[in-house]
Amino acid sequence: MPSSNTLNKHSEFARCLECNKVSTFAAFHWLALAFQDMMRAPILSLIYGLIFTIIPLAIVYSGVYAGTYLVILPATVAFALIGPAFAVGLYDIAWELEKGHSPTLLHSLKSMFRNPVGEWGFAVLLMVIMIIWMRLAALVHALYPSHANPTFEELSAFLTLGTIIGGILLVTVFAISAFTPQIMMERRVDIMTAVMSSMNAVKTNFSAMVVWSGCIFILVAIGFITGATGFIVIMPLLSYASWHGYIAVIKTKKLRGYE
């Protein structure tokens, strides 16, 4: 008969895992470690980089070159759904390197099913937030002046409200997603435990997370500036760095690290 401790451990939901306090510029160290991971697993990194590049490339091509803007929303939804799943594959590669193992494509693909309910639930959560943003953006657009060449004063209400709503959603998405996929993949906890732990870690390390979010923004911007081809390198780099950020921030019973 299982002990009461075992039952409590598996029946406790929406816990908040403890976190460490890291330095403000820790993100640059995470990126340096991520670059080492890419050098140690170049083929696997390239494979996942190509997968991550297909959808952004389709968005850029459809919106800019082909003018078929109707494709943008479905493609973005697809990216929101499959993105976290493939990021888990990259986390597994970094985790295998951390343990001194030789990562394989099969092992990384299997990792996507370590916590399928949580991982797909998280993907759906991101999709719902994105749909909410689309609806709010449509409402905010109603404030845009109907005549041509509006003045800045006429645009002020549209720009102010749009910036406030967009900023709130961006901060929310970043807070709930900074460490949630990594926690669910390694520890197989419920989605609420992972989300609450991620939000607490972001709040505790606010200055470090501001720098990390800035790095993400700059690298993603570079990816789109290069016509989405830059994502071949950028997405594996960000995924590996996210894993090292997770190792540094979320506490574990056993001291761990990877240099």
Side-chain angles (χ1 to χ4, degrees), residues 171-225:
V171 171
T172 301
V173 169
F174 179 77
I176 67 175
S177 63
F179 304 110
T180 295
Q182 301 95 308
I183 293 172
M184 288 193 300
M185 191 273 280
E186 183 185 24
R187 307 191 184 198
R188 295 191 244 192
V189 298
D190 61 281
I191 186 171
M192 288 307 301
T193 292
V195 168
M196 290 183 65
S197 300
S198 179
M199 294 178 69
N200 178 63
V202 170
K203 181 182 69 174
T204 303
N205 295 278
F206 182 77
S207 60
M209 292 299 102
V210 169
V211 174
W212 175 226
S213 62
C215 292
I216 295 173
F217 178 81
I218 291 171
L219 289 172
V220 170
I222 292 173
F224 279 107
I225 289 172

Side-chain angles (χ1 to χ4, degrees), residues 5 23 55 58 63 68 71 74 78 85 129 159-160 176 179 194 211 218 231 250:
N5 291 336
S23 65
I55 294 178
T68 55
V71 179
I129 294 175
L159 294 174
T160 301
I176 67 175
F179 304 110
V211 174
I218 291 171
F231 286 117
I250 304 299

